[in-house]
Amino acid sequence: MNSVNTDDQTLLEIDDLTVAFGDGAGSVRAVENVSLSVAAGEIYALVGESGCGKSTLAYSMLQIVPQPGRIIGGDVRFRGRGMVTMSKRDLNALRSAELAMVFQGAMNAFNPVVTIGTQVDHILQAHPEVFPDPKEGRNHFEHLLELVQLPPKRIWKSFESQLSGGMKQRVAIAVALLLQPSVVILDEPTTALDVLNQRLVIDILKDLHRDLGVTIVFVTHDLAVVAEVATRVAVMYAGRLVETGTVEEIFKAERRHPYVEALINAIPSVLDVGLTVEPIGGAVPNLADLPAGCRFAPRCGLAEEICQHTEPPLLGDDGGHLVACHVVNRNAVPMEVSEA
Amino acid sequence: MSLLDVQNVTHTYDTGTGRPVLHNVDLSTKEGEIVALVGESGCGKSTLGRLIAGLHEPSSGSVSFEGSDIAGLRGKRRKEWRRHVQMVHQDPYGSLNPGLTIGSTLAPGMLQHKLANRRTVQAEMIKLLQQVGLDATPVFLQRYPHQLSGGQRQRVSIARAISLQPKLIVADEVTSMLDVSMRVAILDLLLSFQRDRGIGFVFISHDFGVVRYFAQGGRIAVMFYGYIVEEGPVEDLIKSPSHPYTHMLLQAIPVPDPVLVRKRDEQGSSPERLTGEPSTKGCVFANRCPLVQDVCRKEAPPLKDIGSGHRTACFFSDEIPPLKHLTVDEASPQATRL
């Protein structure tokens, strides 16, 4: 088991990654020059609105960017091994041993005509290297079902149609953990769930992290869920990373990207009566027709002349809290240029 | 006179289980009032909304609009009621006909109800686009839904609803499929119609944050498996819930503040039985209730008045513990927004 507290034990490293969809004039870059690293034992949140590239970034961590998307620059490394140029065979071996994914809408991922148990047996048969004795694999799955607060015996015999959406989401999480990956990536794990099922998934992710020591990367648009679960956060906007830091830095630091500030202020909360809630004016830019300079500038209250023509670099302090904003970074001293 | 009166409504879908999705529901709203329906998936809140909008007829009980049972309305009066109650649906992708331009989506209703004629309809539609914050040009009327973003589509749905000058809009999870940055803008738009035109709302959502923002000054009805278990003024109900289910819902809300999250987690874990089937005997919430006692398994508590328009269906409403993390704004003065 990985220990939860590590000294920068980098597991997954995204290095200057660019992912394009289509080619020629119609091509768009869903992810552009993004660098970040996930250390063992972290719960890493990728946050942003629809179309910001957060899911594409998550897919590229597994090298499963859907067609016509492709990685046109940079690399993804797992424990230092580059995945972009890796052979398909090595990639499959790496994925089945180390990486797992729970897709968005995973509640619709099950085969409706065979039981959950049969589907789990199929996975165990395909990967005898993990559990040579299938009985051991079944026992492990029962243990996982208990961790996601489901009755193992009943679930094993169930068809997916006999389970609620919230139950299916939790079964999907248990299935992802079946082969004992060191990293599990979840795309929008709490979306489309009501508040009680959402709370259950939040609690379960924290439990799994604590009990299994598994590293978690999750994609979400919900900042409240980020505050509940994440230890580290990357915020994306229109394909670029705009801010990254620990969860406290993102929510509490003085120096903060204006987009992140606006996102936090746009959450109608039960904590505060609506006075500070403000919508963000304008709309996310079309990736095929991006503004010159900072991509958030057309919606930004702080935007200055420089923002109109120069893209802001991600700059930060020693601790790894990086912000891509000319204005915020100029006003904050001291500061060092990061390599990112 | 109340605008809407739901009286003793029980509803069963014809699925063979025979289990009602609504049990003896009573609810009324005044003109221009906002009533929010809150509860987990499957609690019946959308069904109640659909009965109010006249999309289904209740199996028993009645839905009255301006004093008349809508089941008995005929002819001109039925047509008038149809115009006065409109609905905005959850899914902006599924609720607009993909084969119709925005113009063809908006025009027929106004023509049918004689709120515009062939000569004036174009100008009326452009006025509507402007009122809902869309690009108010003839070109926009030629667009198809697939050319619009989710937020724009939801604005078209709202334009369609307000085009008939309704008195009541049933808004079913209207922001749940939108990005965070769009949500507040859509809520503000709907609120402007409530404020400026006195349109009342039945606002369905499972998100208490959104409900508190939208329904401030109005009321909340909390539903559990077909029953209204608590109902009362928004601030009152959120600050001091009087039903253990409402307490559980409020306590489950993710808190957008990592420091408060840590503080709360240090105070103890989440309650158990967050999900699960309802009880079939006695109180419907008994199986999942942390305060359950013997009497709850034998007898169903009635929805009784506990003062200042607040009703609850719990024998032990006095024993509900205070909320752990929602008390941070106690010190700040009450905001008055509407």
PDB file of all heavy atoms in Angstrom, chain A residues 209-234:
ATOM      1  N   HIS A 209      -9.480   6.393  -0.041  1.00  0.00           N
ATOM      2  CA  HIS A 209      -8.163   7.017  -0.004  1.00  0.00           C
ATOM      3  C   HIS A 209      -7.455   6.671   1.295  1.00  0.00           C
ATOM      4  O   HIS A 209      -6.284   6.309   1.316  1.00  0.00           O
ATOM      5  CB  HIS A 209      -8.343   8.525  -0.160  1.00  0.00           C
ATOM      6  CG  HIS A 209      -7.085   9.293  -0.053  1.00  0.00           C
ATOM      7  ND1 HIS A 209      -6.772  10.059   1.046  1.00  0.00           N
ATOM      8  CD2 HIS A 209      -6.044   9.400  -0.901  1.00  0.00           C
ATOM      9  CE1 HIS A 209      -5.601  10.611   0.857  1.00  0.00           C
ATOM     10  NE2 HIS A 209      -5.132  10.241  -0.313  1.00  0.00           N
ATOM     11  N   ARG A 210      -8.193   6.729   2.382  1.00  0.00           N
ATOM     12  CA  ARG A 210      -7.607   6.448   3.689  1.00  0.00           C
ATOM     13  C   ARG A 210      -7.302   4.953   3.869  1.00  0.00           C
ATOM     14  O   ARG A 210      -6.216   4.579   4.294  1.00  0.00           O
ATOM     15  CB  ARG A 210      -8.576   6.916   4.782  1.00  0.00           C
ATOM     16  CG  ARG A 210      -7.973   6.935   6.192  1.00  0.00           C
ATOM     17  CD  ARG A 210      -9.059   7.178   7.223  1.00  0.00           C
ATOM     18  NE  ARG A 210     -10.099   6.154   7.092  1.00  0.00           N
ATOM     19  CZ  ARG A 210     -11.403   6.412   7.120  1.00  0.00           C
ATOM     20  NH1 ARG A 210     -11.836   7.642   7.280  1.00  0.00           N
ATOM     21  NH2 ARG A 210     -12.281   5.444   7.001  1.00  0.00           N
ATOM     22  N   ASP A 211      -8.269   4.095   3.499  1.00  0.00           N
ATOM     23  CA  ASP A 211      -8.125   2.666   3.788  1.00  0.00           C
ATOM     24  C   ASP A 211      -7.235   1.931   2.794  1.00  0.00           C
ATOM     25  O   ASP A 211      -6.559   0.976   3.148  1.00  0.00           O
ATOM     26  CB  ASP A 211      -9.497   1.981   3.822  1.00  0.00           C
ATOM     27  CG  ASP A 211     -10.364   2.519   4.956  1.00  0.00           C
ATOM     28  OD1 ASP A 211      -9.819   3.264   5.785  1.00  0.00           O
ATOM     29  OD2 ASP A 211     -11.560   2.189   5.007  1.00  0.00           O
ATOM     30  N   LEU A 212      -7.280   2.329   1.508  1.00  0.00           N
ATOM     31  CA  LEU A 212      -6.514   1.605   0.496  1.00  0.00           C
ATOM     32  C   LEU A 212      -5.246   2.361   0.086  1.00  0.00           C
ATOM     33  O   LEU A 212      -4.409   1.820  -0.622  1.00  0.00           O
ATOM     34  CB  LEU A 212      -7.363   1.351  -0.748  1.00  0.00           C
ATOM     35  CG  LEU A 212      -8.680   0.590  -0.559  1.00  0.00           C
ATOM     36  CD1 LEU A 212      -9.415   0.504  -1.887  1.00  0.00           C
ATOM     37  CD2 LEU A 212      -8.425  -0.800  -0.008  1.00  0.00           C
ATOM     38  N   GLY A 213      -5.154   3.612   0.464  1.00  0.00           N
ATOM     39  CA  GLY A 213      -3.989   4.412   0.081  1.00  0.00           C
ATOM     40  C   GLY A 213      -3.938   4.702  -1.408  1.00  0.00           C
ATOM     41  O   GLY A 213      -2.895   5.040  -1.949  1.00  0.00           O
ATOM     42  N   VAL A 214      -5.062   4.544  -2.082  1.00  0.00           N
ATOM     43  CA  VAL A 214      -5.075   4.740  -3.525  1.00  0.00           C
ATOM     44  C   VAL A 214      -5.006   6.243  -3.859  1.00  0.00           C
ATOM     45  O   VAL A 214      -5.546   7.076  -3.137  1.00  0.00           O
ATOM     46  CB  VAL A 214      -6.323   4.073  -4.143  1.00  0.00           C
ATOM     47  CG1 VAL A 214      -7.588   4.748  -3.672  1.00  0.00           C
ATOM     48  CG2 VAL A 214      -6.250   4.039  -5.654  1.00  0.00           C
ATOM     49  N   THR A 215      -4.283   6.568  -4.914  1.00  0.00           N
ATOM     50  CA  THR A 215      -4.221   7.947  -5.389  1.00  0.00           C
ATOM     51  C   THR A 215      -5.442   8.192  -6.267  1.00  0.00           C
ATOM     52  O   THR A 215      -5.787   7.357  -7.102  1.00  0.00           O
ATOM     53  CB  THR A 215      -2.927   8.159  -6.194  1.00  0.00           C
ATOM     54  OG1 THR A 215      -1.825   7.825  -5.348  1.00  0.00           O
ATOM     55  CG2 THR A 215      -2.800   9.589  -6.673  1.00  0.00           C
ATOM     56  N   ILE A 216      -6.085   9.328  -6.055  1.00  0.00           N
ATOM     57  CA  ILE A 216      -7.324   9.605  -6.780  1.00  0.00           C
ATOM     58  C   ILE A 216      -7.165  10.871  -7.614  1.00  0.00           C
ATOM     59  O   ILE A 216      -6.656  11.884  -7.126  1.00  0.00           O
ATOM     60  CB  ILE A 216      -8.503   9.768  -5.784  1.00  0.00           C
ATOM     61  CG1 ILE A 216      -8.761   8.443  -5.051  1.00  0.00           C
ATOM     62  CG2 ILE A 216      -9.764  10.250  -6.489  1.00  0.00           C
ATOM     63  CD1 ILE A 216      -9.795   8.524  -3.938  1.00  0.00           C
ATOM     64  N   VAL A 217      -7.557  10.793  -8.886  1.00  0.00           N
ATOM     65  CA  VAL A 217      -7.656  11.981  -9.724  1.00  0.00           C
ATOM     66  C   VAL A 217      -9.114  12.069 -10.123  1.00  0.00           C
ATOM     67  O   VAL A 217      -9.683  11.080 -10.584  1.00  0.00           O
ATOM     68  CB  VAL A 217      -6.791  11.862 -11.002  1.00  0.00           C
ATOM     69  CG1 VAL A 217      -6.975  13.083 -11.890  1.00  0.00           C
ATOM     70  CG2 VAL A 217      -5.321  11.692 -10.641  1.00  0.00           C
ATOM     71  N   PHE A 218      -9.757  13.209  -9.892  1.00  0.00           N
ATOM     72  CA  PHE A 218     -11.143  13.299 -10.358  1.00  0.00           C
ATOM     73  C   PHE A 218     -11.426  14.612 -11.063  1.00  0.00           C
ATOM     74  O   PHE A 218     -10.820  15.633 -10.791  1.00  0.00           O
ATOM     75  CB  PHE A 218     -12.148  13.012  -9.238  1.00  0.00           C
ATOM     76  CG  PHE A 218     -12.290  14.102  -8.200  1.00  0.00           C
ATOM     77  CD1 PHE A 218     -13.409  14.940  -8.213  1.00  0.00           C
ATOM     78  CD2 PHE A 218     -11.334  14.291  -7.219  1.00  0.00           C
ATOM     79  CE1 PHE A 218     -13.566  15.932  -7.259  1.00  0.00           C
ATOM     80  CE2 PHE A 218     -11.474  15.291  -6.260  1.00  0.00           C
ATOM     81  CZ  PHE A 218     -12.597  16.111  -6.282  1.00  0.00           C
ATOM     82  N   VAL A 219     -12.337  14.485 -12.037  1.00  0.00           N
ATOM     83  CA  VAL A 219     -12.734  15.618 -12.864  1.00  0.00           C
ATOM     84  C   VAL A 219     -14.087  16.086 -12.358  1.00  0.00           C
ATOM     85  O   VAL A 219     -14.972  15.270 -12.108  1.00  0.00           O
ATOM     86  CB  VAL A 219     -12.867  15.161 -14.330  1.00  0.00           C
ATOM     87  CG1 VAL A 219     -13.487  16.241 -15.188  1.00  0.00           C
ATOM     88  CG2 VAL A 219     -11.519  14.732 -14.877  1.00  0.00           C
ATOM     89  N   THR A 220     -14.264  17.389 -12.184  1.00  0.00           N
ATOM     90  CA  THR A 220     -15.567  17.873 -11.746  1.00  0.00           C
ATOM     91  C   THR A 220     -15.763  19.328 -12.168  1.00  0.00           C
ATOM     92  O   THR A 220     -14.809  20.032 -12.469  1.00  0.00           O
ATOM     93  CB  THR A 220     -15.723  17.756 -10.218  1.00  0.00           C
ATOM     94  OG1 THR A 220     -17.060  18.100  -9.851  1.00  0.00           O
ATOM     95  CG2 THR A 220     -14.775  18.687  -9.479  1.00  0.00           C
ATOM     96  N   HIS A 221     -17.024  19.758 -12.197  1.00  0.00           N
ATOM     97  CA  HIS A 221     -17.289  21.175 -12.396  1.00  0.00           C
ATOM     98  C   HIS A 221     -17.770  21.787 -11.078  1.00  0.00           C
ATOM     99  O   HIS A 221     -18.071  22.972 -11.023  1.00  0.00           O
ATOM    100  CB  HIS A 221     -18.340  21.371 -13.490  1.00  0.00           C
ATOM    101  CG  HIS A 221     -19.682  20.848 -13.089  1.00  0.00           C
ATOM    102  ND1 HIS A 221     -20.038  19.530 -13.256  1.00  0.00           N
ATOM    103  CD2 HIS A 221     -20.725  21.452 -12.497  1.00  0.00           C
ATOM    104  CE1 HIS A 221     -21.252  19.345 -12.779  1.00  0.00           C
ATOM    105  NE2 HIS A 221     -21.698  20.503 -12.309  1.00  0.00           N
ATOM    106  N   ASP A 222     -17.833  20.956 -10.042  1.00  0.00           N
ATOM    107  CA  ASP A 222     -18.468  21.390  -8.801  1.00  0.00           C
ATOM    108  C   ASP A 222     -17.417  21.736  -7.747  1.00  0.00           C
ATOM    109  O   ASP A 222     -16.775  20.872  -7.164  1.00  0.00           O
ATOM    110  CB  ASP A 222     -19.368  20.246  -8.305  1.00  0.00           C
ATOM    111  CG  ASP A 222     -20.255  20.678  -7.155  1.00  0.00           C
ATOM    112  OD1 ASP A 222     -19.901  21.658  -6.464  1.00  0.00           O
ATOM    113  OD2 ASP A 222     -21.297  20.042  -6.944  1.00  0.00           O
ATOM    114  N   LEU A 223     -17.241  23.027  -7.498  1.00  0.00           N
ATOM    115  CA  LEU A 223     -16.193  23.458  -6.575  1.00  0.00           C
ATOM    116  C   LEU A 223     -16.466  23.042  -5.136  1.00  0.00           C
ATOM    117  O   LEU A 223     -15.532  22.865  -4.354  1.00  0.00           O
ATOM    118  CB  LEU A 223     -16.046  24.982  -6.639  1.00  0.00           C
ATOM    119  CG  LEU A 223     -15.145  25.491  -7.754  1.00  0.00           C
ATOM    120  CD1 LEU A 223     -15.258  26.997  -7.862  1.00  0.00           C
ATOM    121  CD2 LEU A 223     -13.696  25.108  -7.509  1.00  0.00           C
ATOM    122  N   ALA A 224     -17.731  22.877  -4.783  1.00  0.00           N
ATOM    123  CA  ALA A 224     -18.037  22.453  -3.416  1.00  0.00           C
ATOM    124  C   ALA A 224     -17.523  21.031  -3.190  1.00  0.00           C
ATOM    125  O   ALA A 224     -16.988  20.716  -2.129  1.00  0.00           O
ATOM    126  CB  ALA A 224     -19.543  22.531  -3.165  1.00  0.00           C
ATOM    127  N   VAL A 225     -17.656  20.175  -4.207  1.00  0.00           N
ATOM    128  CA  VAL A 225     -17.148  18.814  -4.097  1.00  0.00           C
ATOM    129  C   VAL A 225     -15.616  18.830  -4.002  1.00  0.00           C
ATOM    130  O   VAL A 225     -15.018  18.066  -3.255  1.00  0.00           O
ATOM    131  CB  VAL A 225     -17.628  17.944  -5.284  1.00  0.00           C
ATOM    132  CG1 VAL A 225     -17.002  16.559  -5.234  1.00  0.00           C
ATOM    133  CG2 VAL A 225     -19.139  17.839  -5.274  1.00  0.00           C
ATOM    134  N   VAL A 226     -14.993  19.742  -4.735  1.00  0.00           N
ATOM    135  CA  VAL A 226     -13.537  19.900  -4.653  1.00  0.00           C
ATOM    136  C   VAL A 226     -13.118  20.228  -3.222  1.00  0.00           C
ATOM    137  O   VAL A 226     -12.213  19.601  -2.661  1.00  0.00           O
ATOM    138  CB  VAL A 226     -13.055  21.021  -5.604  1.00  0.00           C
ATOM    139  CG1 VAL A 226     -11.566  21.305  -5.392  1.00  0.00           C
ATOM    140  CG2 VAL A 226     -13.318  20.629  -7.047  1.00  0.00           C
ATOM    141  N   ALA A 227     -13.808  21.190  -2.613  1.00  0.00           N
ATOM    142  CA  ALA A 227     -13.458  21.593  -1.248  1.00  0.00           C
ATOM    143  C   ALA A 227     -13.634  20.440  -0.272  1.00  0.00           C
ATOM    144  O   ALA A 227     -12.909  20.321   0.705  1.00  0.00           O
ATOM    145  CB  ALA A 227     -14.315  22.781  -0.815  1.00  0.00           C
ATOM    146  N   GLU A 228     -14.602  19.573  -0.550  1.00  0.00           N
ATOM    147  CA  GLU A 228     -14.873  18.443   0.340  1.00  0.00           C
ATOM    148  C   GLU A 228     -13.823  17.343   0.233  1.00  0.00           C
ATOM    149  O   GLU A 228     -13.502  16.699   1.221  1.00  0.00           O
ATOM    150  CB  GLU A 228     -16.241  17.828  -0.006  1.00  0.00           C
ATOM    151  CG  GLU A 228     -17.425  18.650   0.443  1.00  0.00           C
ATOM    152  CD  GLU A 228     -17.860  18.281   1.859  1.00  0.00           C
ATOM    153  OE1 GLU A 228     -17.283  17.364   2.441  1.00  0.00           O
ATOM    154  OE2 GLU A 228     -18.794  18.939   2.356  1.00  0.00           O
ATOM    155  N   VAL A 229     -13.348  17.073  -0.980  1.00  0.00           N
ATOM    156  CA  VAL A 229     -12.578  15.857  -1.216  1.00  0.00           C
ATOM    157  C   VAL A 229     -11.095  16.101  -1.497  1.00  0.00           C
ATOM    158  O   VAL A 229     -10.243  15.379  -1.014  1.00  0.00           O
ATOM    159  CB  VAL A 229     -13.173  15.058  -2.407  1.00  0.00           C
ATOM    160  CG1 VAL A 229     -12.460  13.727  -2.555  1.00  0.00           C
ATOM    161  CG2 VAL A 229     -14.664  14.833  -2.224  1.00  0.00           C
ATOM    162  N   ALA A 230     -10.785  17.113  -2.311  1.00  0.00           N
ATOM    163  CA  ALA A 230      -9.457  17.206  -2.912  1.00  0.00           C
ATOM    164  C   ALA A 230      -8.379  17.637  -1.921  1.00  0.00           C
ATOM    165  O   ALA A 230      -8.654  18.334  -0.945  1.00  0.00           O
ATOM    166  CB  ALA A 230      -9.487  18.173  -4.088  1.00  0.00           C
ATOM    167  N   THR A 231      -7.146  17.190  -2.197  1.00  0.00           N
ATOM    168  CA  THR A 231      -6.007  17.767  -1.491  1.00  0.00           C
ATOM    169  C   THR A 231      -5.292  18.767  -2.401  1.00  0.00           C
ATOM    170  O   THR A 231      -4.729  19.734  -1.941  1.00  0.00           O
ATOM    171  CB  THR A 231      -4.995  16.668  -1.073  1.00  0.00           C
ATOM    172  OG1 THR A 231      -4.583  15.934  -2.231  1.00  0.00           O
ATOM    173  CG2 THR A 231      -5.627  15.711  -0.078  1.00  0.00           C
ATOM    174  N   ARG A 232      -5.313  18.516  -3.707  1.00  0.00           N
ATOM    175  CA  ARG A 232      -4.673  19.404  -4.666  1.00  0.00           C
ATOM    176  C   ARG A 232      -5.617  19.651  -5.842  1.00  0.00           C
ATOM    177  O   ARG A 232      -6.421  18.777  -6.177  1.00  0.00           O
ATOM    178  CB  ARG A 232      -3.357  18.790  -5.143  1.00  0.00           C
ATOM    179  CG  ARG A 232      -2.454  19.705  -5.902  1.00  0.00           C
ATOM    180  CD  ARG A 232      -1.060  19.118  -6.065  1.00  0.00           C
ATOM    181  NE  ARG A 232      -0.230  19.316  -4.870  1.00  0.00           N
ATOM    182  CZ  ARG A 232       0.435  20.457  -4.607  1.00  0.00           C
ATOM    183  NH1 ARG A 232       0.369  21.477  -5.429  1.00  0.00           N
ATOM    184  NH2 ARG A 232       1.158  20.562  -3.525  1.00  0.00           N
ATOM    185  N   VAL A 233      -5.522  20.821  -6.438  1.00  0.00           N
ATOM    186  CA  VAL A 233      -6.506  21.233  -7.440  1.00  0.00           C
ATOM    187  C   VAL A 233      -5.814  21.859  -8.647  1.00  0.00           C
ATOM    188  O   VAL A 233      -4.848  22.605  -8.488  1.00  0.00           O
ATOM    189  CB  VAL A 233      -7.472  22.290  -6.840  1.00  0.00           C
ATOM    190  CG1 VAL A 233      -8.574  22.637  -7.832  1.00  0.00           C
ATOM    191  CG2 VAL A 233      -8.074  21.814  -5.528  1.00  0.00           C
ATOM    192  N   ALA A 234      -6.316  21.547  -9.851  1.00  0.00           N
ATOM    193  CA  ALA A 234      -5.905  22.269 -11.053  1.00  0.00           C
ATOM    194  C   ALA A 234      -7.166  22.825 -11.701  1.00  0.00           C
ATOM    195  O   ALA A 234      -8.119  22.084 -11.939  1.00  0.00           O
ATOM    196  CB  ALA A 234      -5.181  21.343 -12.017  1.00  0.00           C
TER     197      ALA A 234
END
